Amino acid sequence: MTKVAILGGSGYTALELMKIFLRHPEVQIEAITSRDKEFPHIADVHPSLAKRLDIRCEVFDARKLKDRGVDCVFGCLPHGASAESIKQILPLGMRVVDLSADYRLRSTAEFQKYYGEPHHDIANLADAVYGFPEVYGDKITAAKLIANPGCYPQTGIIGLLPLVAAKEVDLKNIIIDSKSGVSGAGRTPKLNTHFPECNENFSAYNVGKHRHTPEIEQTLGDVAGETVEVIFTPHLVPMDRGMLSTIYAVPKRSFTEPELYEMYRAYYASNPFVRIREALPTTKDVTFSNYLDIALRVVRGKIVILVCIDNLVRGASGVAVQNFNRMFGYVETTALI
Amino acid sequence: MTKVAILGGSGYTALELMKIFLRHPEVQIEAITSRDKEFPHIADVHPSLAKRLDIRCEVFDARKLKDRGVDCVFGCLPHGASAESIKQILPLGMRVVDLSADYRLRSTAEFQKYYGEPHHDIANLADAVYGFPEVYGDKITAAKLIANPGCYPQTGIIGLLPLVAAKEVDLKNIIIDSKSGVSGAGRTPKLNTHFPECNENFSAYNVGKHRHTPEIEQTLGDVAGETVEVIFTPHLVPMDRGMLSTIYAVPKRSFTEPELYEMYRAYYASNPFVRIREALPTTKDVTFSNYLDIALRVVRGKIVILVCIDNLVRGASGVAVQNFNRMFGYVETTALI
Amino acid sequence: MTKVAILGGSGYTALELMKIFLRHPEVQIEAITSRDKEFPHIADVHPSLAKRLDIRCEVFDARKLKDRGVDCVFGCLPHGASAESIKQILPLGMRVVDLSADYRLRSTAEFQKYYGEPHHDIANLADAVYGFPEVYGDKITAAKLIANPGCYPQTGIIGLLPLVAAKEVDLKNIIIDSKSGVSGAGRTPKLNTHFPECNENFSAYNVGKHRHTPEIEQTLGDVAGETVEVIFTPHLVPMDRGMLSTIYAVPKRSFTEPELYEMYRAYYASNPFVRIREALPTTKDVTFSNYLDIALRVVRGKIVILVCIDNLVRGASGVAVQNFNRMFGYVETTALI
Amino acid sequence: MTKVAILGGSGYTALELMKIFLRHPEVQIEAITSRDKEFPHIADVHPSLAKRLDIRCEVFDARKLKDRGVDCVFGCLPHGASAESIKQILPLGMRVVDLSADYRLRSTAEFQKYYGEPHHDIANLADAVYGFPEVYGDKITAAKLIANPGCYPQTGIIGLLPLVAAKEVDLKNIIIDSKSGVSGAGRTPKLNTHFPECNENFSAYNVGKHRHTPEIEQTLGDVAGETVEVIFTPHLVPMDRGMLSTIYAVPKRSFTEPELYEMYRAYYASNPFVRIREALPTTKDVTFSNYLDIALRVVRGKIVILVCIDNLVRGASGVAVQNFNRMFGYVETTALI
């Protein structure tokens, strides 16, 4: 039995974590922290948890978490706030899976550029492992601090991994056109996610400057061993959850679709969550699950890759538990299938 | 040509008014006020108006509106704020159609009870005419100040009018179960209208204590000449616009459906917007229009009335223009059909 | 370990059953039948099952199911077709949970009236137990044939049970105004459930004559020991799943809200799925779960009861598994919490 | 006054045409044909037209339409069926705007390739003018037969026109990633547009082989004077209407965003419907209107163009009326602004 704590219990990724852990036979949710001074019962924050999880939110206190035997802390706070807490947790020997962006980028310059502020915890940055199991699997097992990836990078990286690893495509000429459900924008009400603005509407946002861009490039660069550049265009789909990325890559040699399928099937043969499919996947095929569905096409000599995930499960809390399972020696798919 | 001004240009009813007036051959939108200190161009507030309406928002100044020849002012401000402005407008001789709740209830005690604050302009309250054309038609024509009705009351009143006028139903035993699209909640982002909360969700709210209840009772009471009591239950439907009310009434004598239909068809024979239909109406039959669709059923001896409207058109800005057309001598349907 | 077969694997209730059973530690899905002559793999019928359930659909053959050790058969066929199969299953000693309407009504006259055709299997009708655990719990445990209830009746019955059992309300004066997500209409494409017709739309249907009416009256009548009459109005909400019923009842004596709450809390104290809540429930609080959330209000002396369920889980496949768990001696909540 | 007839009145483009023409001061809808043998009243086919359009559908008879003085016939039939009717109309001297695909492609080989059948009316094909006002404006004015463009091509062509005309981009390296509301799929119920399948879902379809591809290439090829090749990927968005295309082009020289904006503003300076915007457009900015909103970005040296339209208005019936206005000498924007 492993005891976990969740920092920042009011958001969607925290809720998703709790739902997954309620099904995990080896995990006990020991504490949920909140910056809400009234310390509400978690069922008042997330009514769907009524009768399922009987915990009252508490103020964050790293020492107390340690004293109560917490083994692993999940950070569901905004970037910045997350690092401030994690600084206090790591010295006490608890391990951390951080769902914020604080430790994802190795370059503090890139962090400054994309997040508009200096990095909050350079001291621990070098120890952070980017929690993408298909790329950093072994490092994850041993990690003290996992920087859980953003939702968009999950589709971009998983969709390109076999081709980039084999350097079969032009690494400076990749387009990732992504479409995400609205839960990806978090639980804080804003005008663009106000129902009558967002419903029956479709739009692109942050074209060419979304914060997930450097994560994708950093990870694909690690895989390729050289610089990778992507044009990344996120869009907002009027639906709760689900994400589809349409990826365009230029192969260095001619590819047929059967060749492509063979390559991807081989690459992901032992992966429990990747499903290579002939038919075009839809987001609904994967929502509320940790699967990543991929289809491949060759159009006018270029490669078109379609990848679907649930942005809150594999895009956030599902992969967080996948990383956790690796870290604590559980079967990787526990509570996720 | 009549010059109009719109107070509070950033909300949904204001936008709807502008769209209707852009089609009105006899109206010029002279001014739009906003409490936004940056005085944005209206197309920056409502991008759909780009190239269609070239006006910059301005600060409210009753005197200036008068000097520029404004004939009629439409109030699209929250209650309270609305009365504060209207107090300054009426003495200058401009007529007003107020879409807020400030002048709807004749009883200041009821206002205090439902809105939790004292009335803001008792002096002008007596002059206000509730803008329900089917009930107060002649008074509307002559009115200086129209209290434009709430959205829910439109369905409740229009659906019950023939039976209540004829006193054919138990006036103390009426249930109005209403369902509204989310635009009825306004344009200010809140948690319950945040897309991932509101989408794929259905709920009741303010059961038995919604502010539109006394409007319905006051108007039906006027028609009946005695007290009317309703149980009113509003619900939120995950769609932009449209409203359906399912009304249950207990007849004093036995009714057949053909009798009911005959009664309603006769009552609304000359009404240009009421459509009495055999088939059950859907909200989509009326959205983006000023029509009110009604179907009638007798179930186990009770009467079930179904009424659909668009909550922003007939439920707010459409009936506002209908009232305006009556006040200024235009054909009632101008810009509305 | 119990072996189950599912008849009619292509619909939504079948899919939901499979997803629940994939989490049930004591159940093996042995067979899925389909009337599709191509006998597709179930993952081609429901892509979300890829990698999760490796079964090819087969033609229905009761004898073969028996020979392969099937203990319990779940009928997910349309009414009529369901009885034709079940007739062949029961004599072989397999137990049945039928999700169709075939065995729900004890009166064949009512069946004829509401379904427009004679009953298909009068011989087995007397053995059928209506699968509402809160009413027929003990009979369910011993049943050979469970008539799984319709979705709407779940909300109507659970919402009224305490008051009807205590005969505290007028049994001839009950209104159930229900709102359901579209998956309740099944998986066969029709014009009224075609996306551009159904989306951004809200409507009532089958007012006063919906087929679930006699189920509600039969069960509440059993509880009361006398005839109960309801006015039942179903509506279609533009969302996938979830159901809310707003129930209006007239108490025989004066009730306060605290009294009501005390009554309901006592009645459902040991029920693992009923959640009595002060706050008004929303359908999203219960979707993808087997919970039934109830709130209670007193308005102008009448009782207003709000009940939410997921129409596919507690409204169909969840309660089916609840019944199954009782029949086969498993903890009632297995795979459902 | 011009008399028009609409062939195939039951679909969405026909409904949209009727709504536009009800606002057109110089048009009378003389006839609506239907293949429905019961010749329903149009308000039974489209309930939103009740009280607005009092016409009963009739069987198609070209001679009768001519005798009743019809000047222009709008074809809203499926391809194939459309040509069969138009063959009979043209010899009688009535002009035609065909919203089907029958006359869009000059190459009968391409028609065969993409539509899987031989062309139905080669005789009239040479006379057809592709109804894209920004490209074929003068020819449209004189045309007897307009092949009204598909919805997707509107966004692709308008978005690329200035750059392709100036040959500033690589004409063999264009990606059009398009997202459309579901009304674009027509009114015939199918599984993939069944509400519970389509809602809360997002998917690509016909990747690399959609029928609108050759239209785009043909028109851009005309503009460039040489072959243009595009990779076109359509996606389905869970909303009624609206379309956004994200277009990726590789410039032959370096471009800044201000240069791009200057180029597009100059090119479309006199166009009444194109709105060049700094902010990223959303589909809701243009739905229910004939506007085309465009924003431009330069990302890593490549050009990203975002174009929004309403797929039923500018994507079909709006541009059809725009073409009609040109053909019959009305102001191009009549009934469209």
Side-chain angles (χ1 to χ4, degrees):
Chain A
M1 182 65 67
T2 304
K3 284 189 178 181
V4 305
I6 295 169
L7 308 189
S10 64
Y12 294 134
T13 55
L15 172 59
E16 208 64 32
L17 266 184
M18 296 175 216
K19 288 188 173 174
I20 295 170
F21 280 140
L22 284 172
R23 292 206 167 112
H24 198 300
E26 303 292 338
V27 167
Q28 181 192 319
I29 302 173
E30 174 64 27
I32 301 166
T33 76
S34 165
R35 293 175 294 179
D36 182 333
K37 293 291 155 52
E38 301 190 13
F39 311 122
H41 192 283
I42 194 65
D44 291 326
V45 180
H46 300 295
S48 63
L49 295 176
K51 257 191 176 178
R52 300 174 67 190
L53 186 58
D54 188 16
I55 293 185
R56 190 165 280 279
C57 294
E58 62 189 79
V59 73
F60 170 66
D61 181 330
R63 189 69 250 171
K64 279 196 188 158
L65 296 180
K66 178 65 183 175
D67 291 346
R68 281 150 67 188
V70 166
D71 304 291
C72 188
V73 177
F74 288 79
C76 295
L77 295 165
H79 68 269
S82 196
E84 297 304 331
S85 299
I86 290 169
K87 270 184 212 178
Q88 304 172 46
I89 296 165
L90 290 173
L92 301 178
M94 294 179 279
R95 296 168 86 180
V96 172
V97 178
D98 180 26
L99 283 80
S100 88
D102 275 333
Y103 301 93
R104 292 175 187 164
L105 302 180
R106 286 194 299 268
S107 158
T108 53
E110 289 278 284
F111 187 88
Q112 169 81 50
K113 174 181 168 193
Y114 278 92
Y115 293 88
E117 47 194 285
H119 198 276
H120 301 259
D121 182 19
I122 296 175
N124 289 305
L125 186 55
D127 288 339
V129 175
Y130 190 69
F132 206 97
E134 286 78 5
V135 177
Y136 306 102
D138 292 342
K139 289 188 182 165
I140 288 167
T141 309
K144 288 180 179 170
L145 169 56
I146 292 291
N148 211 56
C151 48
Y152 287 116
Q154 309 268 358
T155 58
I157 297 168
I158 214 77
L160 285 159
L161 209 41
L163 284 165
V164 166
K167 298 199 185 185
E168 292 276 20
V169 293
D170 180 350
L171 299 177
K172 299 289 191 305
N173 201 355
I174 291 169
I175 291 168
I176 303 176
D177 190 284
S178 295
K179 300 89 174 175
S180 174
V182 183
S183 59
R187 205 184 181 197
T188 304
K190 291 179 191 155
L191 185 59
N192 76 319
T193 51
H194 184 48
F195 187 90
E197 303 286 317
C198 181
N199 182 49
E200 286 291 290
N201 202 356
F202 185 87
S203 57
Y205 66 102
N206 291 353
V207 177
K209 51 187 181 187
H210 191 279
R211 291 165 166 181
H212 287 174
T213 313
E215 278 184 56
I216 301 170
E217 294 180 340
Q218 172 180 282
T219 307
L220 291 178
D222 284 357
V223 170
E226 61 179 284
T227 302
V228 173
E229 282 183 7
V230 303
I231 293 182
F232 170 52
T233 314
H235 301 76
L236 207 58
V237 186
M239 61 185 187
D240 278 0
R241 48 206 286 168
M243 175 179 285
L244 183 148
S245 290
T246 312
I247 303 170
Y248 302 89
V250 182
K252 294 179 179 168
R253 61 173 178 91
S254 173
F255 263 98
T256 65
E257 286 185 6
E259 275 177 299
L260 262 183
Y261 269 99
E262 191 175 3
M263 180 188 209
Y264 273 66
R265 288 211 171 95
Y267 196 93
Y268 289 122
S270 65
N271 190 301
F273 295 115
V274 173
R275 304 190 293 200
I276 309 295
R277 296 174 48 190
E278 296 285 340
L280 294 171
T282 79
T283 59
K284 213 166 201 168
D285 299 342
V286 298
T287 40
F288 301 95
S289 89
N290 201 51
Y291 289 99
L292 310 100
D293 283 13
I294 302 177
L296 304 157
R297 296 291 183 272
V298 176
V299 181
R300 292 196 182 281
K302 299 215 174 108
I303 292 171
V304 184
I305 305 153
L306 299 115
V307 184
C308 287
I309 63 165
D310 178 306
N311 58 302
L312 289 180
V313 184
R314 172 68 201 217
S317 305
V319 75
V321 174
Q322 210 179 327
N323 289 322
F324 164 86
N325 283 337
R326 281 182 176 260
M327 291 163 80
F328 286 83
Y330 300 120
V331 173
E332 188 174 359
T333 56
T334 309
L336 294 172
I337 278 187
Chain B
M1 183 65 66
T2 304
K3 284 189 177 180
V4 305
I6 296 171
L7 309 190
S10 65
Y12 295 134
T13 55
L15 172 59
E16 208 64 34
L17 266 183
M18 295 174 216
K19 287 187 174 174
I20 295 171
F21 280 140
L22 284 171
R23 292 205 167 114
H24 198 300
E26 303 292 338
V27 167
Q28 179 191 321
I29 302 174
E30 173 64 26
I32 301 167
T33 76
S34 165
R35 293 174 296 179
D36 181 334
K37 292 292 154 52
E38 300 190 13
F39 311 121
H41 192 283
I42 195 64
D44 290 327
V45 181
H46 301 293
S48 63
L49 295 176
K51 255 192 178 178
R52 299 175 67 191
L53 185 57
D54 188 17
I55 293 185
R56 189 165 281 278
C57 294
E58 61 190 80
V59 73
F60 170 66
D61 182 330
R63 188 70 250 171
K64 279 196 187 157
L65 297 180
K66 177 67 184 174
D67 290 347
R68 280 149 68 188
V70 167
D71 303 291
C72 188
V73 176
F74 288 79
C76 295
L77 295 164
H79 68 270
S82 196
E84 297 304 331
S85 298
I86 290 170
K87 270 185 212 177
Q88 304 172 47
I89 296 165
L90 290 173
L92 301 178
M94 294 179 280
R95 297 167 86 179
V96 172
V97 178
D98 180 26
L99 283 80
S100 88
D102 275 332
Y103 301 93
R104 291 176 188 163
L105 302 180
R106 286 195 299 268
S107 159
T108 54
E110 288 278 283
F111 186 88
Q112 169 81 49
K113 175 181 167 193
Y114 278 92
Y115 293 87
E117 49 193 285
H119 197 278
H120 300 261
D121 183 17
I122 296 176
N124 289 305
L125 185 55
D127 288 339
V129 175
Y130 189 71
F132 207 97
E134 286 78 6
V135 177
Y136 306 103
D138 291 342
K139 289 187 183 167
I140 289 167
T141 310
K144 289 180 178 169
L145 169 56
I146 292 291
N148 210 57
C151 49
Y152 287 115
Q154 310 268 358
T155 59
I157 297 168
I158 213 77
L160 286 159
L161 209 42
L163 283 165
V164 166
K167 296 199 186 186
E168 291 275 19
V169 294
D170 181 350
L171 299 177
K172 299 288 189 308
N173 201 356
I174 291 169
I175 291 168
I176 303 175
D177 191 285
S178 296
K179 300 88 174 177
S180 174
V182 184
S183 58
R187 205 183 181 197
T188 305
K190 292 179 189 153
L191 185 59
N192 76 319
T193 50
H194 184 49
F195 187 89
E197 303 286 316
C198 181
N199 183 48
E200 285 293 288
N201 202 357
F202 185 86
S203 58
Y205 66 102
N206 292 354
V207 177
K209 52 188 181 187
H210 191 279
R211 291 165 166 180
H212 287 175
T213 314
E215 278 183 56
I216 301 171
E217 294 180 339
Q218 171 181 283
T219 307
L220 291 178
D222 283 357
V223 170
E226 60 179 286
T227 302
V228 174
E229 282 183 5
V230 303
I231 294 181
F232 170 52
T233 315
H235 301 77
L236 208 57
V237 186
M239 60 185 187
D240 279 0
R241 47 206 287 169
M243 174 179 287
L244 181 148
S245 290
T246 313
I247 303 170
Y248 301 89
V250 183
K252 294 180 177 166
R253 61 172 178 92
S254 173
F255 263 97
T256 65
E257 286 185 5
E259 276 176 299
L260 264 183
Y261 269 99
E262 191 176 1
M263 181 188 208
Y264 273 67
R265 289 209 170 98
Y267 196 93
Y268 289 122
S270 64
N271 190 301
F273 295 115
V274 172
R275 303 190 294 200
I276 309 295
R277 295 173 47 190
E278 295 286 339
L280 294 169
T282 78
T283 59
K284 214 166 201 168
D285 300 341
V286 298
T287 39
F288 300 96
S289 87
N290 201 51
Y291 290 99
L292 309 100
D293 283 12
I294 303 177
L296 305 157
R297 294 292 184 271
V298 176
V299 181
R300 293 196 183 282
K302 298 213 176 111
I303 293 171
V304 185
I305 305 153
L306 299 115
V307 185
C308 288
I309 63 164
D310 179 306
N311 58 301
L312 288 181
V313 184
R314 172 66 201 218
S317 304
V319 75
V321 174
Q322 209 179 327
N323 288 322
F324 164 86
N325 283 337
R326 280 181 175 262
M327 292 163 79
F328 287 83
Y330 301 120
V331 173
E332 187 173 1
T333 56
T334 309
L336 294 172
I337 278 188
Chain C
M1 183 64 68
T2 303
K3 285 188 175 180
V4 305
I6 295 170
L7 308 189
S10 64
Y12 294 134
T13 55
L15 172 59
E16 208 64 32
L17 266 183
M18 296 174 215
K19 288 186 172 174
I20 295 171
F21 280 140
L22 284 171
R23 293 207 167 112
H24 198 300
E26 302 292 338
V27 166
Q28 180 191 321
I29 301 173
E30 174 65 28
I32 301 165
T33 77
S34 165
R35 292 175 294 179
D36 181 332
K37 292 291 155 53
E38 300 189 15
F39 310 122
H41 192 282
I42 195 64
D44 291 327
V45 180
H46 301 294
S48 63
L49 295 176
K51 255 192 178 177
R52 301 175 65 190
L53 186 58
D54 188 16
I55 293 185
R56 188 164 281 279
C57 294
E58 61 189 82
V59 73
F60 171 67
D61 181 330
R63 189 69 250 171
K64 278 195 188 159
L65 296 179
K66 177 66 182 173
D67 291 347
R68 281 150 67 186
V70 167
D71 303 291
C72 187
V73 177
F74 287 79
C76 295
L77 295 164
H79 68 270
S82 195
E84 297 304 331
S85 299
I86 290 169
K87 269 184 212 177
Q88 305 171 47
I89 296 165
L90 291 172
L92 301 178
M94 294 178 280
R95 295 166 87 179
V96 172
V97 178
D98 180 26
L99 282 80
S100 89
D102 275 333
Y103 301 94
R104 292 175 187 163
L105 303 180
R106 287 195 298 269
S107 158
T108 53
E110 289 278 284
F111 187 90
Q112 169 82 49
K113 176 182 166 192
Y114 278 92
Y115 293 88
E117 49 192 286
H119 197 277
H120 300 261
D121 183 19
I122 295 173
N124 288 306
L125 185 56
D127 288 339
V129 175
Y130 189 70
F132 206 97
E134 286 78 5
V135 178
Y136 307 101
D138 291 342
K139 288 187 182 167
I140 288 167
T141 310
K144 289 179 179 171
L145 169 56
I146 292 291
N148 210 57
C151 48
Y152 287 116
Q154 309 267 359
T155 59
I157 297 168
I158 213 78
L160 286 159
L161 209 40
L163 284 166
V164 166
K167 298 202 185 183
E168 292 275 20
V169 293
D170 180 351
L171 299 176
K172 299 289 191 304
N173 201 357
I174 292 169
I175 291 168
I176 303 174
D177 191 283
S178 296
K179 301 86 174 177
S180 173
V182 184
S183 58
R187 206 183 181 198
T188 305
K190 290 177 191 156
L191 185 58
N192 75 319
T193 50
H194 184 49
F195 186 89
E197 303 285 317
C198 182
N199 181 49
E200 286 291 291
N201 202 355
F202 185 86
S203 58
Y205 65 102
N206 292 352
V207 177
K209 51 190 181 186
H210 190 279
R211 289 164 167 182
H212 287 174
T213 313
E215 277 183 57
I216 301 170
E217 294 181 339
Q218 171 180 282
T219 306
L220 292 178
D222 284 358
V223 170
E226 60 179 285
T227 303
V228 173
E229 282 184 4
V230 303
I231 293 182
F232 169 52
T233 314
H235 302 77
L236 207 58
V237 186
M239 61 185 186
D240 279 1
R241 48 206 287 167
M243 173 178 288
L244 182 148
S245 290
T246 312
I247 303 171
Y248 301 90
V250 182
K252 293 181 179 167
R253 61 173 178 91
S254 174
F255 263 98
T256 65
E257 285 184 8
E259 276 178 298
L260 263 184
Y261 268 99
E262 191 176 2
M263 182 188 207
Y264 273 66
R265 288 210 170 96
Y267 196 92
Y268 290 122
S270 65
N271 190 301
F273 295 116
V274 173
R275 303 190 293 201
I276 309 295
R277 296 174 48 191
E278 296 285 340
L280 294 171
T282 79
T283 59
K284 212 164 203 169
D285 300 341
V286 298
T287 40
F288 300 96
S289 89
N290 201 51
Y291 291 99
L292 310 99
D293 283 12
I294 303 178
L296 304 158
R297 294 292 183 271
V298 176
V299 182
R300 293 194 184 282
K302 298 210 176 113
I303 293 171
V304 184
I305 306 153
L306 299 116
V307 184
C308 288
I309 63 165
D310 179 305
N311 59 301
L312 288 180
V313 185
R314 172 68 200 216
S317 304
V319 75
V321 173
Q322 210 179 328
N323 288 320
F324 164 86
N325 283 337
R326 282 181 174 261
M327 292 163 79
F328 286 83
Y330 300 120
V331 173
E332 187 173 358
T333 56
T334 310
L336 293 172
I337 279 187
Chain D
M1 182 66 66
T2 304
K3 285 189 176 180
V4 305
I6 296 170
L7 309 189
S10 65
Y12 295 133
T13 54
L15 172 59
E16 208 63 33
L17 265 184
M18 295 174 217
K19 287 187 173 175
I20 296 171
F21 280 140
L22 284 171
R23 293 209 166 110
H24 197 301
E26 303 292 337
V27 167
Q28 180 191 320
I29 302 174
E30 173 66 27
I32 302 166
T33 77
S34 165
R35 292 174 296 178
D36 181 332
K37 292 292 154 51
E38 300 190 14
F39 310 122
H41 191 282
I42 195 64
D44 292 327
V45 180
H46 301 294
S48 63
L49 295 176
K51 258 191 175 176
R52 300 175 66 191
L53 186 57
D54 188 17
I55 293 185
R56 190 164 279 280
C57 294
E58 61 190 78
V59 73
F60 170 67
D61 182 329
R63 188 70 251 169
K64 279 196 188 157
L65 296 180
K66 177 67 183 174
D67 291 347
R68 281 150 67 187
V70 166
D71 304 290
C72 187
V73 177
F74 288 79
C76 295
L77 295 165
H79 68 269
S82 196
E84 297 304 330
S85 298
I86 289 169
K87 271 185 212 177
Q88 304 172 48
I89 296 165
L90 290 173
L92 301 179
M94 293 178 281
R95 297 167 86 180
V96 172
V97 178
D98 181 27
L99 282 81
S100 88
D102 275 333
Y103 301 93
R104 292 176 187 163
L105 303 180
R106 287 195 298 269
S107 158
T108 54
E110 288 278 283
F111 187 89
Q112 169 82 48
K113 175 181 167 194
Y114 278 92
Y115 293 87
E117 47 193 288
H119 198 277
H120 300 262
D121 183 19
I122 296 174
N124 289 305
L125 185 55
D127 288 338
V129 175
Y130 189 71
F132 206 95
E134 286 78 6
V135 178
Y136 307 102
D138 292 341
K139 288 188 182 166
I140 288 168
T141 309
K144 288 179 180 170
L145 169 57
I146 293 291
N148 210 57
C151 48
Y152 287 116
Q154 309 268 358
T155 59
I157 297 168
I158 213 80
L160 286 159
L161 209 41
L163 284 164
V164 166
K167 296 200 186 185
E168 292 275 20
V169 293
D170 180 350
L171 299 177
K172 298 289 190 306
N173 201 357
I174 292 169
I175 291 169
I176 303 174
D177 190 284
S178 296
K179 302 86 173 177
S180 173
V182 184
S183 59
R187 206 183 180 197
T188 304
K190 290 178 190 156
L191 186 59
N192 76 319
T193 51
H194 183 48
F195 186 89
E197 303 287 317
C198 182
N199 182 48
E200 285 292 290
N201 202 356
F202 185 87
S203 58
Y205 66 102
N206 292 352
V207 177
K209 52 187 181 185
H210 191 279
R211 291 164 166 180
H212 287 174
T213 313
E215 277 182 57
I216 301 169
E217 294 179 340
Q218 171 181 282
T219 307
L220 291 178
D222 284 356
V223 170
E226 62 179 285
T227 302
V228 174
E229 281 184 5
V230 303
I231 293 183
F232 169 53
T233 314
H235 301 78
L236 207 57
V237 185
M239 60 184 186
D240 279 0
R241 48 206 287 167
M243 173 178 287
L244 183 148
S245 290
T246 312
I247 304 171
Y248 302 89
V250 182
K252 293 180 178 167
R253 60 172 179 93
S254 175
F255 263 98
T256 65
E257 286 185 7
E259 276 178 298
L260 263 183
Y261 269 99
E262 191 176 4
M263 181 189 208
Y264 273 66
R265 288 211 171 97
Y267 196 92
Y268 289 123
S270 64
N271 190 302
F273 296 115
V274 173
R275 303 190 294 200
I276 309 296
R277 296 174 47 192
E278 295 286 340
L280 294 170
T282 79
T283 60
K284 213 165 202 168
D285 300 340
V286 298
T287 41
F288 300 97
S289 87
N290 201 51
Y291 290 99
L292 309 99
D293 283 13
I294 303 178
L296 304 158
R297 295 291 183 273
V298 176
V299 182
R300 292 193 182 284
K302 298 210 175 113
I303 292 171
V304 184
I305 305 153
L306 300 115
V307 184
C308 288
I309 62 165
D310 179 305
N311 59 300
L312 289 181
V313 184
R314 172 67 200 218
S317 304
V319 74
V321 173
Q322 211 180 327
N323 288 321
F324 164 86
N325 282 338
R326 282 181 174 262
M327 292 163 80
F328 285 84
Y330 300 120
V331 173
E332 187 173 0
T333 57
T334 309
L336 293 172
I337 277 188

